[in-house]
Amino acid sequence: AERGAPCPTEPEFRAYHLLSVMAQHGKFKGDQQAFLSTLQALRVDVREDERVQWVLKLRNAYYFGNFARFFRLVGEAPYLLACLAHVYFPHMRATCFKIMSETCAKQQIVEASWLVRTLMLEDAEEALAVAKSYGFLSSLDSGDRDPVVVLTKGGFEKPDATVRYPSKTVSAKSGGMRRSDLILTVAEEGEEARRARIERTEKMQEAERQYRLEEDNRRRIEADEESRRRRLQDEARRREAAEAAEAARR
């Protein structure tokens, strides 16, 4: 930068910085004027980089309360960006429960499996624990049915303390690499270190490609299952309607 030559990794690290200050968390106060000033000061090629653009999309989802899009974007992100986005998970999950409690009827049932998929939770148990922290009851149905959360209108309660659960989904993006493998120290010098860095980068990229393939496959399976479930429900409703009409004719 001092020589006036662009650094190849600048867009990546600019994205990390913007993501870390895009909203309030911990000691960061989410100064939006500072965020916009930093963004406007970037060179056009850095600002238009896909990683910086991803941060802007995530920020929009965050401030508009679009929790579904927020977690979908995190699912598409590489490992380190997803790690930095993890600090915003509690806020977006709280946003989800608050919106649903304000817009639902007197009472609404939500399947834990839907919460798991939408809010990037690990399993039904974690979904029920998160719902409980915001003041909502859960029901463990018998048989093969999913556990459900019972939402009540205006029942959202802000917890005294925010719990940020570890995310196995985010951890899976690392491809099994250790934290030390992700940190490039100043002591690394020479051709051997350069080759080692390239090898690490290739491993991470391959792990990310594999993860995305698995995610795409999982989403297709879930979409097929959801389509099948809705089709069965529609068929059941049609049968019930036909039986009711037949009974009325008799």
Side-chain angles (χ1 to χ4, degrees):
E2 293 178 353
R3 295 193 300 269
C7 176
T9 58
E10 181 181 357
E12 177 185 1
F13 284 89
R14 293 292 189 186
Y16 296 154
H17 176 245
L18 289 170
L19 182 55
S20 68
V21 299
M22 80 171 193
Q24 182 173 354
H25 64 90
K27 66 179 181 179
F28 296 101
K29 302 304 180 184
D31 186 339
Q32 293 310 295
Q33 186 58 48
F35 179 94
L36 294 175
S37 297
T38 301
L39 180 65
Q40 291 168 359
L42 299 178
R43 298 194 316 275
V44 174
D45 61 305
V46 174
R47 193 162 58 243
E48 293 181 352
D49 182 84
E50 62 179 4
R51 288 156 294 194
V52 173
Q53 289 297 310
W54 178 89
V55 173
L56 297 181
K57 292 176 185 177
L58 195 77
R59 177 176 177 269
N60 285 340
Y62 181 94
Y63 281 103
F64 283 105
N66 191 337
F67 52 87
R69 177 168 171 75
F70 176 92
F71 285 105
R72 189 161 57 247
L73 285 167
V74 174
E76 298 169 356
Y79 176 55
L80 292 180
L81 283 175
C83 285
L84 287 171
H86 183 245
V87 74
Y88 303 115
F89 282 19
H91 173 84
M92 294 310 296
R93 288 166 179 166
T95 297
C96 170
F97 284 100
K98 186 177 182 180
I99 289 174
M100 290 195 298
S101 71
E102 290 175 349
T103 57
C104 71
K106 185 177 180 181
Q107 195 174 77
Q108 180 178 340
I109 303 299
V110 178
E111 294 179 351
S113 59
W114 181 85
L115 293 173
V116 170
R117 293 194 303 271
T118 306
L119 303 182
M120 202 174 280
L121 295 161
E122 300 307 321
D123 50 35
E125 182 179 352
E126 184 180 350
L128 300 184
V130 171
K132 183 179 179 180
S133 71
Y134 296 120
F136 299 109
L137 300 176
S138 61
S139 174
L140 294 171
D141 292 344
S142 59
D144 296 329
R145 295 186 60 186
D146 284 333
V148 297
V149 171
V150 182
L151 299 178
T152 52
K153 190 171 184 64
F156 176 83
E157 298 177 3
K158 188 175 181 180
D160 296 331
T162 300
V163 178
R164 191 163 76 242
Y165 296 89
S167 175
K168 293 180 181 177
T169 304
V170 172
S171 297
K173 291 173 174 284
S174 70
M177 298 188 72
R178 299 169 299 177
R179 188 178 306 173
S180 58
D181 293 329
L182 302 173
I183 301 174
L184 303 180
T185 65
V186 178
E188 288 181 318
E189 296 178 346
E191 182 64 21
E192 184 178 350
R194 189 185 71 83
R195 287 198 300 268
R197 288 196 294 271
I198 292 174
E199 184 178 351
R200 281 195 296 269
T201 301
E202 290 175 347
K203 285 182 179 178
M204 289 183 65
Q205 290 174 342
E206 179 59 31
E208 179 65 20
R209 282 193 293 270
Q210 185 62 33
Y211 175 81
R212 291 190 178 186
L213 287 173
E214 292 174 357
E215 277 292 288
D216 290 343
N217 186 52
R218 180 181 64 80
R219 287 173 183 166
R220 281 195 295 271
I221 292 173
E222 288 179 352
D224 290 343
E225 290 177 350
E226 181 67 15
S227 176
R228 178 176 174 277
R229 185 178 68 83
R230 290 182 178 179
R231 186 170 62 254
L232 293 174
Q233 289 178 340
D234 291 341
E235 291 174 356
R237 282 195 289 267
R238 284 196 293 269
R239 283 197 302 269
E240 291 175 359
E243 291 172 359
E246 182 63 25
R249 284 197 297 271
R250 292 177 183 173

